[in-house]
Amino acid sequence: MDAHNVTFPRFNFDNSFARSLDGFFTPWQAAPATSPRLLKLNHALAAELGLDADALDSEIGAAIFSGNLMPDGASPLAQAYAGHQFGGFSPKLGDGRALLLGEVIDTNQRRRDIQLKGSGRTPFSRGGDGKAALGPVLREYLMGEAMHALGIPTTRALAAVTTGDVVHRETPLPGAVLTRIAASHIRVGTFEYFAARDETDKIRQLADYAIARHYPEVRGAQNPYLAFFLAVANAQAALIAHWMNVGFIHGVMNTDNMTISGETIDYGPCAFMDAHAPGTVFSSIDTQGRYAYANQPPIANWNLARLAETLIPLVDDNAEQSVRLLTDTLTSFSSMYETYWLSETRAKIGLATAEGGDLDLVNGLLATMEQAGADHTLVFRRLSLAALGDSAAAQILFGEPTAFNAWAGRWHARLERESVAPNERAQRMDRINPIYIARNHKVEEALAAAVERDDLTPFTALLELVSNPYDEIEGKEDFSSPAPMSPVPYQTFCGT
Ligand code: AMP
Ligand code: MG
């Protein structure tokens, strides 16, 4: 490389976390990567962050995104957090394989974290190697971008590099680093870390920081910490409603994997379900089904209760009064969730107005889908055709169509009570019901090609489709169809 022709990419860092939260992290450095190679750079996101994508699409970019080269102004650090994992409390988790480089203010004036994931051991690594393997890095890249394209709040991938080092899991695998962008990496578990140590001043400091960063509007409330809790609960209610409507299953909804900002984070054994089945679990480690599809709303509620506990000393000097206020607020989670979920589901079946019988109507459809094992994504997508009078494509997803036809009769009667032009309605439905999700067999295919054959072509093709999930492309039926019947249920692995 000719050093004279290289523009060194500038990051406009403004590291408020490092500056104002001393004691919440350990300053740290990345482990060196032997021969970093840039596999994927998210040009659109780079531009949004005010970064020079062309300059980063280079060996220098590979050096930066592997952790070998720290850009000017970075304050690399590992954050402390705790967490309830599968219901059991771990007082010390923290960034065991991640480094926060810092924050940039993006072109929309939003503050965004830039984090490396897989950059080596830290004081929080416990028994782990601090590394990430290529498959999980690409999985997180793909899932985050798919969710973003579906309009769901999420962390996003800026870059994926291979390190040139081998990572040992069950087999030796190529090592990789994901560069992740987030509204922040503050988790429910970050609050729990300090609550477990009875550090009330630190909890207040963290809450004040989180309020300033994510919910500045609550500062004027009569009880700002209670209003903060309500704001987090509200953001999570909206988030989980989105997940449910696209059939997304996070897989490890531990409190350390739940953000304060309301973004989806930590894509591990997550997956989209094909056949609509409330009990669906993909994760090999979730043997009890704690994080099954239908359990996600109550689990979010449970996680929020853990957050509420940490806020008791902040909300009122009288602990009993504090518990009462927080409990009352938490009680509103399920109705907030139901409201978000129903208004979105209404739109998915083409309704523009609300009527009392709508909940019953959408539940009727879901029950019929469950009974028939119909594909979640395709049923909703094909309802736009059915709304135009062509039911065949939807009907076929139900096998024996009697129940669906009966439901469709009620639905048509309901549609007719709205004065919306059919074409306009169908178009609107196709803007909310995706044709492409990251289907499990396609994800596996793409990751296998990348890991086993160093071939990124299938990954890039899938990424392209799920990044434009509403635009049907002729000849890509393979990507919109459920997996061919398999004798073994699909399983995902944490892949840490
Ligand atoms: P996760 O299951 O990815 O949400 O991670 C849970 C905790 O384990 C976090 O504290 C991680 O930093 C830590 N962890 C996961 N994988 C590794 C690894 N390979 N090395 C060190 N720490 C890890
Ligand atoms: Mg995690």
Side-chain angles (χ1 to χ4, degrees):
M1 199 184 305
D2 178 356
H4 297 286
N5 288 332
V6 172
T7 21
F8 196 85
R10 273 178 47 80
F11 289 65
N12 273 318
F13 280 115
D14 179 54
N15 304 332
S16 68
F17 192 93
R19 201 162 56 225
S20 43
L21 289 177
D22 195 23
F24 291 71
F25 59 84
T26 307
W28 204 250
Q29 296 295 323
T34 303
S35 53
R37 184 159 65 96
L38 185 60
L39 286 192
K40 208 81 203 161
L41 176 69
N42 190 333
H43 280 249
L45 181 56
E48 190 180 308
L49 296 172
L51 304 176
D52 182 343
D54 293 330
L56 285 168
D57 207 340
S58 64
E59 274 178 45
I60 288 193
I64 291 173
F65 296 128
S66 65
N68 275 3
L69 183 65
M70 272 303 132
D72 281 347
S75 338
L77 59 86
Q79 291 181 324
Y81 55 85
H84 277 85
Q85 302 178 302
F86 290 91
F89 186 59
S90 299
K92 191 177 175 194
L93 294 170
D95 289 334
R97 53 164 168 169
L99 274 189
L100 177 68
L101 298 189
E103 303 141 38
V104 295
I105 311 295
D106 73 12
T107 51
N108 302 312
Q109 301 307 308
R110 290 187 303 169
R111 181 176 291 277
R112 314 277 290 271
D113 273 8
I114 304 183
Q115 192 207 54
L116 304 182
K117 186 170 174 182
S119 52
R121 288 179 54 79
T122 77
F124 300 101
S125 297
R126 294 167 292 154
D129 61 2
K131 301 281 173 69
L134 179 57
V137 162
L138 291 179
R139 171 184 273 275
E140 178 154 0
Y141 194 123
L142 186 76
M143 292 307 239
E145 290 308 288
M147 294 286 270
H148 172 72
L150 292 166
I152 302 176
T154 177
T155 65
R156 294 186 63 190
L158 177 62
V161 298
T162 45
T163 56
D165 299 308
V166 172
V167 172
H168 298 279
R169 295 293 178 259
E170 267 131 57
T171 52
L173 294 165
V177 177
L178 176 78
T179 302
R180 178 161 80 175
I181 306 302
S184 86
H185 283 83
I186 305 172
R187 306 148 189 266
V188 169
T190 319
F191 281 83
E192 289 180 287
Y193 183 88
F194 298 98
R197 288 160 182 76
D198 278 327
E199 299 194 68
T200 303
D201 288 348
K202 283 241 163 58
I203 302 171
R204 186 174 295 111
Q205 203 186 339
L206 182 62
D208 289 342
Y209 177 86
I211 288 170
R213 187 158 172 183
H214 299 300
Y215 304 103
E217 67 280 3
V218 309
R219 275 186 295 207
Q222 197 194 346
N223 188 331
Y225 298 117
L226 189 63
F228 164 66
F229 178 62
L230 178 63
V232 176
N234 179 62
Q236 286 296 334
L239 179 67
I240 309 297
H242 285 308
W243 290 3
M244 298 301 280
N245 273 314
V246 295
F248 175 77
I249 300 164
H250 183 283
V252 264
M253 284 178 73
N254 295 332
T255 56
D256 53 303
N257 294 336
M258 183 185 259
T259 59
I260 294 301
S261 69
E263 284 184 345
T264 312
I265 197 169
D266 278 359
Y267 293 91
C270 62
F272 290 87
M273 66 179 177
D274 289 337
H276 183 87
T280 306
V281 176
F282 291 117
S283 171
S284 61
I285 57 170
D286 191 4
T287 48
Q288 305 290 309
R290 178 180 171 91
Y291 301 134
Y293 174 72
N295 280 356
Q296 297 185 119
I299 285 291
N301 192 101
W302 191 91
N303 289 350
L304 288 165
R306 305 289 80 74
L307 176 63
E309 284 162 2
T310 72
L311 300 175
I312 293 171
L314 272 52
V315 164
D316 198 283
D317 289 338
N318 178 326
E320 258 174 57
Q321 170 68 356
S322 204
V323 169
R324 199 160 33 242
L325 291 168
L326 286 160
T327 307
D328 285 351
T329 305
L330 183 57
T331 308
S332 64
F333 173 79
S334 56
S335 66
M336 290 191 288
Y337 166 75
E338 287 289 339
T339 304
Y340 283 120
W341 178 81
L342 182 57
S343 79
E344 205 168 84
T345 315
R346 262 196 194 106
K348 284 174 79 71
I349 65 168
L351 297 176
T353 59
E355 274 188 17
D358 292 346
L359 178 61
D360 194 49
L361 185 67
V362 296
N363 280 337
L365 175 63
L366 294 174
T368 310
M369 286 162 65
E370 182 185 352
Q371 208 152 41
D375 186 82
H376 181 94
T377 305
L378 286 180
V379 167
F380 284 106
R381 178 70 181 196
R382 293 184 184 172
L383 282 184
S384 64
L385 285 172
L388 290 170
D390 178 5
S391 292
Q395 232 179 45
I396 205 168
L397 298 168
F398 291 82
E400 206 293 292
T402 313
F404 172 73
N405 288 344
W407 177 84
R410 285 171 67 198
W411 174 54
H412 277 289
R414 172 69 180 87
L415 292 180
E416 275 157 29
R417 289 199 292 277
E418 290 188 348
S419 54
V420 177
N423 275 322
E424 192 193 312
R425 171 183 284 136
Q427 273 170 21
R428 232 190 280 141
M429 291 171 79
D430 284 349
R431 302 317 301 170
I432 181 174
N433 294 315
I435 178 76
Y436 302 116
I437 52 161
R439 297 222 179 235
N440 301 324
H441 63 297
K442 286 291 169 191
V443 174
E444 293 307 324
E445 246 174 62
L447 301 193
V451 173
E452 290 159 23
R453 302 191 298 280
D454 196 19
D455 177 8
L456 226 56
T457 319
F459 176 83
T460 303
L462 182 57
L463 180 64
E464 170 82 25
L465 288 176
V466 299
S467 299
N468 297 284
Y470 304 108
D471 301 334
E472 185 157 11
I473 294 176
E474 229 176 293
K476 300 286 184 191
E477 291 71 24
D478 195 23
F479 289 86
S480 57
S481 316
M485 278 299 180
S486 155
V488 270
Y490 181 71
Q491 269 203 326
T492 53
F493 299 89
C494 258
T496 54

